[in-house]
């Protein structure tokens, strides 16, 4: 693994690997090769410059073998063994959230860089343990997969806020809409799996922590499975008093949509509106709506991975959200789950940052 100069980032698949010395590619193992892990394995194998996918590992042995065969890489049946394998330089963790603490702590002990899918862990207490362990090590090793920070729209909106051209931000109005949910999706997962992204986006755009949250569950759609509180309406307050509302609606039946509107003192801005070609014909007028997050944020995932690998190559290991961001999101989401249960506004206290 190289710790020398950072090569120029390129995402053109035809030229992506030019200029990278094969002997100095970062050898990456992907842990958990379900939906996200397979997508990331493909990204590493075909697109990310400076990376070499060398192994996959999943508790589902048949799946591990099938994905390993597809990419022509090693199948490692024990995910913990994959973390400590001497032929593996860096890890992508795409297992379910409840497994992240164990695997991330093991990777920290092994001194290996990690890109861990969100959530960092499923509770503030366990995320805090990772924050403290990394602080003890004295160097950053863990990046958290909040890919929206690599989306061009969010980057533009953040730059606009930082420029001050529109004055101070007052409101963020967010909508997060999904076509359908997987089987057994429960009401708390709207917060833990979906709104977690809006929590991170709020912190990324405003540069402020979230200090309070309230979740309101209005009448549910008949399109949601029995018992699922969908949609929900979330209100967050930041340190300076910016109000952020999120409509989270995960059984819209027709497509995927994530949009954010900024209202500031002297101007407004919107991102995430349907874009691209608009057609006009006897069938009517209109464009298309992304079917899922992989389509909507495909370019963001590509950029996230390229910048992560470049950071691993140049020895900084993290170029994006780190463990504190994962911890803060976990703390706000835990407060949101409490609010969903009680209907109360819940304050968030992150405690001191190590
Ligand atoms: N950033 C995003 O937009 C985004 C989107 C979807 C999912 N995710 C996150 O990605 C992660 C994976 O989600 P998914 O939808 O791919 O789930 P999935 O269920 O499709 O895949 C998870 C895989 O992990 C395997 N697994 C379970 N326990 C394991 C363990 N201890 N060690 C190794 N493998 C194990 C399972 O067998 C399965 O193959 C989750 O943390 C999820 O929140 C992120």
């Amino acid at each position: 693994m190289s710790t020398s100069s950072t090569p120029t980032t390129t995402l053109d698949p035809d030229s992506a690997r030019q200029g990278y010395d094969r002997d100095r590619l970062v050898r990456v193992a992907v842990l958990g090769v379900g939906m996200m892990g397979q997508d990331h394995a493909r990204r590493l194998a075909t697109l990310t410059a400076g990376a070499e996918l060398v192994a996959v590992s999943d508790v589902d042995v048949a799946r591990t073998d099938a994905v390993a065969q597809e990419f022509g890489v090693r199948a490692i049946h024990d995910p913990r063994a994959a973390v400590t394998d001497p032929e593996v330089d860096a890890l992508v963790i795409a297992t379910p959230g409840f497994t992240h603490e164990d695997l991330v702590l093991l990777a920290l002990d092994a001194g290996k860089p990690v890109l861990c899918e969100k959530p960092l862990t499923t509770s503030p207490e366990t995320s805090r343990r990772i924050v403290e362990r990394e602080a003890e090590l004295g160097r950053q090793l863990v990046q958290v997969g909040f890919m929206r920070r690599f989306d061009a729209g969010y980057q533009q909106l953040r730059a606009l806020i930082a420029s001050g051209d529109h004055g101070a931000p007052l409101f963020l109005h967010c909508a997060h809409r999904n076509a359908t949910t997987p089987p057994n999706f429960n009401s708390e997962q709207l917060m833990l799996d979906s709104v977690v992204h809006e929590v991170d986006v709020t912190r990324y755009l405003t540069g402020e922590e979230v200090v309070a949250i309230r979740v309101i569950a209005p009448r549910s759609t008949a399109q949601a499975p029995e018992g699922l509180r969908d949609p929900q309406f979330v209100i967050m307050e930041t340190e300076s008093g910016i109000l952020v509302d999120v409509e989270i609606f995960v059984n819209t039946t027709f497509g995927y949509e994530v949009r954010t509107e900024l209202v500031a003192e002297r101007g407004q801005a919107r991102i995430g509106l349907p874009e691209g070609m608009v057609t006009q014909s006897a069938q009517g007028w209109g464009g298309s709506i992304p079917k899922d997050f992989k389509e909507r944020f495909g370019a963001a995932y590509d950029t996230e991975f390229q910048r992560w690998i470049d950071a691993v190559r140049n020895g900084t290991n993290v170029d994006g959200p780190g463990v504190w961001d994962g911890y803060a999101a976990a703390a706000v989401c835990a407060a949101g789950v409490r609010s969903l249960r009680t209907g109360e506004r819940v304050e968030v206290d992150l405690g001191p940052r190590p």
Side-chain angles (χ1 to χ4, degrees), residues 168-324:
L170 303 172
F171 294 105
L172 291 174
H173 302 301
C174 309
H176 183 144
R177 301 176 184 135
N178 246 42
T180 55
T181 45
N184 303 321
F185 201 79
N186 67 48
S187 301
E188 297 182 356
Q189 281 175 278
L190 272 73
M191 172 63 56
L192 298 170
D193 282 348
S194 302
V195 179
V196 63
H197 284 293
E198 264 73 23
V199 175
D200 186 63
V201 155
T202 295
R203 298 179 63 258
Y204 171 70
L205 291 176
T206 66
E208 297 183 23
E209 296 295 356
V210 173
V211 295
I213 184 166
R214 179 162 181 221
V215 181
I216 300 166
R219 126 181 215 169
S220 291
T221 168
Q223 307 304 320
E226 183 82 29
L228 188 71
R229 301 303 302 264
D230 178 30
Q232 296 174 19
F233 193 74
V234 179
I235 303 167
M236 293 184 272
E237 298 163 41
T238 71
E239 288 164 299
S240 76
I242 302 166
L243 216 54
V244 181
D245 62 80
V246 184
E247 171 212 308
I248 175 72
F249 182 13
V250 292
N251 282 279
T252 63
T253 72
F254 65 87
Y256 183 81
E257 190 179 15
V258 166
R259 54 167 75 177
T260 302
E261 179 178 15
L262 162 75
V263 177
E265 289 170 317
R266 294 188 303 276
Q268 301 164 9
R270 287 182 298 276
I271 60 165
L273 300 176
E275 53 191 41
M277 187 165 65
V278 175
T279 61
Q280 216 171 322
S281 71
Q283 281 72 47
W285 179 95
S288 62
I289 295 171
K291 65 179 184 312
D292 60 20
F293 55 85
K294 285 197 243 172
E295 186 179 337
R296 167 71 173 81
F297 288 111
Y301 292 117
D302 294 343
T303 307
E304 173 188 44
F305 267 64
Q306 188 59 64
R307 284 184 43 185
W308 175 61
I309 286 294
D310 288 348
V312 173
R313 285 171 60 90
N314 74 25
T316 55
N317 298 321
V318 173
D319 183 7
V323 290
W324 181 261

Side-chain angles (χ1 to χ4, degrees), residues 97-156:
F98 70 89
T99 67
H100 291 180
E101 182 195 7
D102 181 46
L103 293 169
V104 171
L105 287 176
L106 197 63
L108 284 175
D109 287 345
K112 294 192 182 177
V114 178
L115 177 53
C116 179
E117 259 306 344
K118 63 87 194 151
L120 176 57
T121 70
T122 48
S123 75
E125 295 76 21
T126 49
S127 286
R128 180 103 208 169
R129 278 207 279 277
I130 292 175
V131 169
E132 281 162 7
R133 184 72 65 85
E134 198 190 59
E136 279 161 24
L137 280 178
R139 64 186 183 125
Q140 280 196 292
L141 282 172
V142 183
Q143 182 162 330
V144 182
F146 288 124
M147 77 299 182
R148 287 196 200 170
R149 293 185 183 219
F150 302 93
D151 174 75
Y154 282 105
Q155 290 178 347
Q156 283 175 316

